[in-house]
Amino acid sequence: MSEKNAVQEKDLFVSGHRACHGCGQALAVRHILKATGRDVIVITPTGCLETFTLTYGYSSWRVPFMHHLFENGPSVATGVVAALKAQHRDHIRVLVIGGDGSTFDIGFGALSGMLERGDDVLYICMDNGAYMNTGGQRSGATPIYAGTTTHPVGKKSIGKPQLKKDMPAIVAAHGAPYVATASVAYLKDLRRKVEQAMTYQGPRYIQIDAPCPSVWGFPSDRTLEIGRLGVQSGLVPVFEMVDGRITGVRKIRTRVPPREYLSAQRRFKHLLEGNRAAREGFEKICAMADSNIEKYGLMD
């Protein structure tokens, strides 16, 4: 067996899929499954991940996998957990891996129900901040003032006017014992958090910042760099919550100016080149970075 084939034999998410070059999600899923091991069933609502991994006749998954509609992934997971329990196969754990559209918007009701019932499911949200699978429309996870296909930038608009939902806080308010955020720019930290989540029973939630070269507008070889800039600027706080309390944060050693993160992406460039409203938008985002650093204690 060649060295390449030997590596693929060990991986539970293998190459050959149709993800865009530089896709943060593909990298994250490979490392998620390294952390969980084989004894899992993965459920994925409609989105980029399901689309690029399941071209007809092919699959990148080496664990049991189910695709369901945008709105009912958590409900399906609840049913799978019940079936496993009835069969006394409790050692098999259930994961939902959804995009931000199905998590923040379309499937939020089902997610809320799953959390409220206390079902034993690890829910992982791949957050690339818009509906990338259908053309980059705004979602509840889209950052304020980002340009999208449904909030195009122009003379009367500087992008999406609403704030991004604080989904980790919303999930924690449901009583989930473990909530965390992570970034594909820090894969060791991502794997550790998945391993940690697997030690808990009940509903758990991890939100992963997964930069999208195609719609964010940056070269595909800069995915990890863009992810690091987001974290180091304070705009993408990385932390853990246990029983509703912050128990750990990824510290920022050398802070990056938000301008460096924003200017590297087409979706924000108008804030640095535009009119008075754009300048005020840029200043508001800078203030949000300051607020995150203070709120989460990101710098010593």
Side-chain angles (χ1 to χ4, degrees):
M1 181 183 295
S2 68
E3 183 177 347
K4 180 179 180 181
N5 288 339
V7 170
Q8 293 242 348
E9 186 72 19
K10 295 177 183 176
D11 282 337
L12 300 176
F13 183 81
V14 299
S15 61
H17 51 69
R18 270 59 169 177
C20 302
H21 289 178
C23 175
Q25 290 193 56
L27 183 61
V29 172
R30 184 180 177 202
H31 286 266
I32 288 168
L33 295 184
K34 282 179 180 291
T36 64
R38 291 183 177 277
D39 289 335
V40 294
I41 296 175
V42 176
I43 294 158
T44 294
T46 297
C48 289
L49 184 61
E50 160 263 328
T51 303
F52 74 69
T53 61
L54 292 175
T55 305
Y56 182 73
Y58 298 89
S59 171
S60 292
W61 301 89
R62 296 296 179 263
V63 295
F65 174 91
M66 298 174 69
H67 162 235
H68 266 268
L69 303 177
F70 254 128
E71 66 270 27
N72 64 351
S75 303
V76 172
T78 295
V80 173
V81 168
L84 290 170
K85 185 176 181 180
Q87 297 171 10
H88 304 291
R89 299 168 72 195
D90 296 342
H91 66 288
I92 299 176
R93 308 299 295 277
V94 177
L95 276 69
V96 176
I97 306 179
D100 54 271
S102 59
T103 304
F104 284 60
D105 301 329
I106 301 173
F108 177 73
L111 173 60
S112 178
M114 185 201 86
L115 295 168
E116 185 266 340
R117 289 189 299 270
D119 296 325
D120 185 28
V121 177
L122 171 55
Y123 192 105
I124 297 177
C125 173
M126 291 291 177
D127 179 12
N128 54 20
Y131 289 83
M132 305 310 186
N133 186 43
T134 48
Q137 299 92 341
R138 60 88 76 195
S139 79
T142 303
I144 192 169
Y145 302 139
T148 72
T149 53
T150 45
H151 273 295
V153 174
K155 291 182 179 179
K156 297 184 179 181
S157 171
I158 58 169
K160 181 197 171 193
Q162 297 88 10
L163 290 169
K164 176 175 184 165
K165 292 182 187 176
D166 188 352
M167 188 58 72
I170 293 170
V171 173
H174 282 74
Y178 184 82
V179 176
T181 61
S183 167
V184 296
Y186 300 97
L187 291 170
K188 185 177 179 181
D189 178 71
L190 187 159
R191 289 196 303 273
R192 184 189 66 76
K193 286 172 176 169
V194 174
E195 290 169 356
Q196 183 70 9
M198 295 293 283
T199 66
Y200 286 81
Q201 299 291 323
R204 295 140 284 150
Y205 178 81
I206 299 176
Q207 183 170 302
I208 300 174
D209 186 60
C212 172
S214 301
V215 179
W216 291 19
F218 61 84
S220 59
D221 61 350
R222 296 187 66 189
T223 299
L224 300 187
E225 178 188 354
I226 296 297
R228 281 194 295 271
L229 291 175
V231 174
Q232 292 170 357
S233 67
L235 290 170
V236 182
V238 173
F239 58 85
E240 287 179 290
M241 300 174 73
V242 175
D243 294 330
R245 293 184 301 106
I246 300 287
T247 56
V249 300
R250 183 171 193 86
K251 294 286 186 179
I252 299 173
R253 293 181 180 176
T254 304
R255 188 179 178 189
V256 170
R259 173 182 290 273
E260 194 169 333
Y261 175 64
L262 300 176
S263 65
Q265 304 171 55
R266 184 178 62 240
R267 63 176 180 162
F268 288 121
K269 278 196 170 181
H270 58 283
L271 297 177
L272 309 174
E273 304 166 348
N275 54 22
R276 177 180 175 183
R279 290 194 298 274
E280 290 176 352
F282 171 72
E283 290 171 1
K284 185 171 182 176
I285 290 178
C286 291
M288 290 170 57
D290 293 339
S291 176
N292 285 339
I293 289 171
E294 181 178 356
K295 175 181 178 180
Y296 296 103
L298 300 178
M299 296 188 73
D300 293 324

